[in-house]
Amino acid sequence: MTYILIFIGAVFVNNIVLAQFLGICPFLGVSKKIDTAIGMSGAVAFVMTIATIFTWIFQKTVLDPFHIAFLQTIVFILIIACLVQLVEIIMKKISPVLYQALGVFLPLITTNCTILGVAIMVIQKDFSLLESVVFAISTAMGFGLALILFAGIREQLSMVKLPKGMEGTPVALIVAGLLAMAFMGFSGIV
């Protein structure tokens, strides 16, 4: 039951983008096309899950036993940067089209605050390794859900004639606010 609550809470109630406002840069930057949003969601999900595993293990085996938890943020950023480089190399070989579509946003996963935020949150919430993995996967699914919904809406908006002052970023921010308000309806479930 704990894992189901973690899942529902991470995907809907405490959505990392729409409730906690982490990961806004890729949310706004990669959400113009659904294909790119799906690719970014997959890359973030992979990196987030692997990073959470590695950072949790490093926290419990090195930082906590040697009482150097004050190095947590720096160490976590280094671990995440290494993992992103690995994902970038693999994606360049496996899917060059997706690699080109993501462009500058793939290296920006290194500085994506959702990855670091989840790695730190699982330590703060004192989750076990399995709970941490469930939380990371659920959070990545919530990130992907928000990103893909937003991309679909933006694709539809690109076919609509809007007033000149509302085109582009202004309407995107209004839609993001409306999505955040819609997800507020899930509060109180968990």
Side-chain angles (χ1 to χ4, degrees):
M1 188 63 164
T2 303
Y3 302 116
I4 294 170
L5 293 176
I6 290 172
F7 175 80
I8 292 170
V11 174
F12 300 110
V13 179
N14 295 316
N15 186 287
I16 197 86
V17 177
L18 300 173
Q20 298 179 19
F21 306 111
L22 294 175
I24 298 295
C25 179
F27 180 69
L28 292 173
V30 188
S31 60
K32 292 181 182 170
K33 294 183 180 178
I34 292 178
D35 296 339
T36 309
I38 291 170
M40 182 63 150
S41 299
V44 166
F46 178 74
V47 171
M48 189 178 292
T49 305
I50 300 300
T52 300
I53 293 169
F54 278 88
T55 55
W56 188 92
I57 291 170
F58 200 83
Q59 178 78 31
K60 299 300 180 184
T61 59
V62 177
L63 298 179
D64 286 349
F66 291 107
H67 307 290
I68 53 174
F70 59 89
L71 294 173
Q72 180 187 61
T73 304
I74 295 168
V75 170
F76 284 12
I77 289 171
L78 290 173
I79 292 170
I80 292 165
C82 292
L83 291 171
V84 169
Q85 289 301 313
L86 179 67
V87 168
E88 190 172 358
I89 291 167
I90 291 169
M91 193 174 290
K92 193 172 185 178
K93 297 256 188 217
I94 293 176
S95 180
V97 174
L98 182 59
Y99 176 78
Q100 290 295 330
L102 291 175
V104 72
F105 291 102
L106 188 58
L108 287 178
I109 291 177
T110 304
T111 58
N112 187 341
C113 53
T114 59
I115 310 289
L116 181 60
V118 168
I120 292 173
M121 277 187 240
V122 298
I123 301 300
Q124 288 175 343
K125 294 176 187 243
D126 200 30
F127 283 159
S128 68
L129 182 58
L130 186 56
E131 289 171 334
S132 298
V133 170
V134 170
F135 183 74
I137 292 170
S138 302
T139 303
M141 289 174 69
F143 176 82
L145 175 68
L147 191 63
I148 293 165
L149 281 173
F150 192 54
I153 293 169
R154 285 184 79 178
E155 277 189 4
Q156 292 296 315
L157 283 173
S158 68
M159 295 184 269
V160 175
K161 183 161 174 52
L162 294 170
K164 189 82 168 155
M166 290 298 293
E167 291 176 354
T169 306
V171 75
L173 292 174
I174 290 169
V175 169
L178 291 172
L179 268 176
M181 286 174 40
F183 270 69
M184 283 177 57
F186 293 114
S187 62
I189 292 177
V190 177

